[in-house]
Amino acid sequence: MTDSKKGQIEVVDLTMAYGQTVIQHDLSFTINRGDIFVIMGGSGCGKSTLLKHMLGLITPVRGDILYGGASFFQSDEHEQGAMRQRWGITYQSGGLFSAMTLAENITLPLELYTSYTAAEISDIVAYKLALVGLAGYQSYYPSEISGGMQKRAALARAIALDPEILFFDEPSAGLDPISSRLLDELILQIKESMGATVVIVTHELPSIFAIANNSVYLDNVSKTMIAYGNPAQLRDFNEEPVVRQFLTRSAAADIKDTP
């Protein structure tokens, strides 16, 4: 990995399929360092499937994904593990371990992947929780805090190792509009403070326009990408009617993704 490509992701000629069923084909786009990049499209188009490929959970039928110029799928297991340690991931449900306190949840990756002392880890945990507005909540269990707070705690765990890239799967799912807006602001703040690249699967238009500077639109009819770029510019200038319709739809017509 070169410094010039640190935090950069390149999706190259990617085709995804389950058995004989092609989900998306010929996907090629670049996510630049520092982008807040949204994967968007209608229900069942393959947004979550693309995210799983980017996380290395599914091997593509064809193509590759490069991190910092290095191929993920052509790397060995050790190299893939090293790449993953530079990522932070939050899941739609938050993904916190319910039997662990917030401190224990955030401590886990630090114990697994660093040589920090227990005292140093305790300080880092307190700092990460403070960054997401949860100072003093170390001893709370996930069931003892609200859904919005759980999302923030999950973000604190995702940034425990100071990742170069943050992945979010429907971060605003299940949140009220105020909590959703606060989470958007927090994602922006974390991105600015860490200089991280952010990749988000979401259908939430307010979030898309509030924080994203780059995006790709996956079409579930042609089964390929039909738009790539700044979401506001795609809304105003893209020639594909389905893209403009998606980006100008009303909340009542909101389209949810299926895994």
Side-chain angles (χ1 to χ4, degrees):
M1 180 181 67
T2 63
D3 286 343
S4 63
K5 288 196 171 185
K6 182 179 178 181
Q8 184 185 82
I9 308 169
E10 297 167 84
V11 174
V12 183
D13 194 28
L14 193 75
T15 292
M16 311 182 298
Y18 291 120
Q20 299 299 311
T21 303
V22 174
I23 307 302
Q24 288 282 321
H25 64 87
D26 300 316
L27 305 181
S28 292
F29 57 87
T30 297
I31 303 173
N32 296 308
R33 180 181 181 179
D35 274 355
I36 296 184
F37 187 94
V38 168
I39 300 170
M40 57 187 184
S43 178
C45 69
K47 300 189 292 295
S48 294
T49 300
L50 175 55
L51 185 65
K52 290 175 183 176
H53 279 74
M54 296 178 76
L55 295 174
L57 301 176
I58 304 176
T59 301
V61 173
R62 188 182 70 222
D64 205 349
I65 300 176
L66 311 182
Y67 289 93
S71 165
F72 181 86
F73 292 104
Q74 294 180 31
S75 297
D76 61 31
E77 188 175 333
H78 175 76
E79 291 168 332
Q80 290 180 348
M83 288 185 195
R84 285 192 171 107
Q85 287 183 39
R86 300 196 295 270
W87 306 345
I89 304 165
T90 68
Y91 303 95
Q92 184 171 334
S93 62
L96 296 170
F97 294 105
S98 60
M100 293 182 175
T101 65
L102 301 191
E104 289 168 341
N105 268 278
I106 300 166
T107 294
L108 189 60
L110 292 164
E111 288 182 336
L112 288 173
Y113 300 115
T114 75
S115 56
Y116 291 127
T117 66
E120 288 170 332
I121 288 176
S122 180
D123 288 343
I124 293 170
V125 168
Y127 174 63
K128 300 300 183 181
L129 283 171
L131 278 179
V132 300
L134 292 175
Y137 281 83
Q138 285 92 323
S139 63
Y140 282 68
Y141 287 89
S143 62
E144 296 176 321
I145 59 177
S146 69
M149 295 169 76
Q150 290 178 24
K151 298 275 189 179
R152 285 186 275 149
L155 178 54
R157 185 179 63 185
I159 63 174
L161 298 175
D162 297 322
E164 295 172 5
I165 302 170
L166 279 168
F167 294 96
F168 292 88
D169 184 12
E170 296 283 2
S172 300
L175 297 183
D176 61 83
I178 294 175
S179 296
S180 179
R181 186 171 67 251
L182 291 173
L183 184 61
D184 288 342
E185 293 172 358
L186 181 58
I187 291 171
L188 279 172
Q189 291 168 10
I190 295 295
K191 178 259 181 185
E192 291 298 329
S193 65
M194 298 181 61
T197 303
V198 178
V199 180
I200 304 176
V201 169
T202 185
H203 65 279
E204 302 280 356
L205 288 185
S207 294
I208 290 171
F209 294 123
I211 65 176
N213 71 301
N214 202 359
S215 66
V216 66
Y217 185 92
L218 306 182
D219 182 46
N220 55 9
V221 175
S222 61
K223 297 188 182 300
T224 192
M225 56 186 284
I226 59 173
Y228 167 63
N230 182 283
Q233 294 180 354
L234 295 180
R235 175 195 61 200
D236 296 339
F237 303 111
N238 190 265
E239 296 180 356
E240 293 286 348
V242 67
V243 176
R244 295 198 307 274
Q245 182 180 20
F246 179 89
L247 291 170
T248 57
R249 71 194 190 280
S250 66
D254 225 351
I255 306 172
K256 297 241 181 191
D257 189 28
T258 55

